[in-house]
Amino acid sequence: MLPFRRGAAITANDVKLSTTKYDHESYQAGPLMPGSYTFKLEGSTGSAKKQVDLMGQANVGKAVKLLTTTTTTSTDDVDENDSDDTEDSNQHHTGKALSVLSKDAATAVSVMANKEDRDADDYTYVESQPWDNVTEIKLYDEDSDKLVDTYRYDKKNDILAKYDDATSKFVEVK
């Protein structure tokens, strides 16, 4: 899926796939053969580029975000805290993308996303394994890189728990 601006060209490895018709549109490319792809979004409001390796079952349905920001001629409204939204920027993220997590961590994220009604692609993740069969996932906001929540998933018993700051304990998510 590629969110972007109206009238922008979407390409994969320099082959035009589509042109956007709306602001904040999503486009689903595929099916694609396994390989390395460079997705580009180019339009009058900006451009973005993302290199993606699609290899095997782990990348089926992979979401690729190409975000652009609109530019204005006014310099009075500049917010020095704004960050660049393009995915190909050198912004450092604390966690890893969903696509590079271990199988157990990806399962934990999937369970969390379903039970908590969260979009798994909005976060980066730090995974650890405090005990056998238990995976701990720390969610970091993809844009601000701030810790959002911490979960533990017991795959043997299929139990998801969320860390509660008030009690300093993990509480089961029903």
Side-chain angles (χ1 to χ4, degrees), residues 2-50:
L2 307 167
F4 34 71
R5 301 270 182 225
R6 180 180 335 161
I10 306 164
T11 62
N13 292 349
D14 295 321
V15 175
K16 187 174 179 179
L17 301 174
S18 183
T19 302
T20 62
K21 295 179 180 92
Y22 309 100
D23 287 351
H24 309 289
E25 182 176 337
S26 291
Y27 174 78
Q28 186 167 352
L32 299 171
M33 295 295 293
S36 185
Y37 294 88
T38 301
F39 290 98
K40 292 181 187 174
L41 166 71
E42 297 177 296
S44 61
T45 60
S47 64
K49 179 171 77 169
K50 178 75 175 186

Side-chain angles (χ1 to χ4, degrees), residues 65 87 91-98 101 109 112 118-128 136-151:
K65 293 182 181 181
E87 286 291 319
Q91 181 179 0
H92 171 73
H93 289 289
T94 301
K96 297 189 244 177
L98 178 61
L101 292 178
V109 169
M112 176 276 307
R118 291 185 186 234
D119 184 355
D121 293 321
D122 291 343
Y123 306 96
T124 58
Y125 305 92
V126 172
E127 65 178 284
S128 61
E136 182 174 289
I137 300 292
K138 293 186 178 201
L139 280 70
Y140 291 86
D141 183 86
E142 185 177 49
D143 297 325
S144 69
D145 201 33
K146 296 199 189 281
L147 179 64
V148 176
D149 281 313
T150 303
Y151 292 89

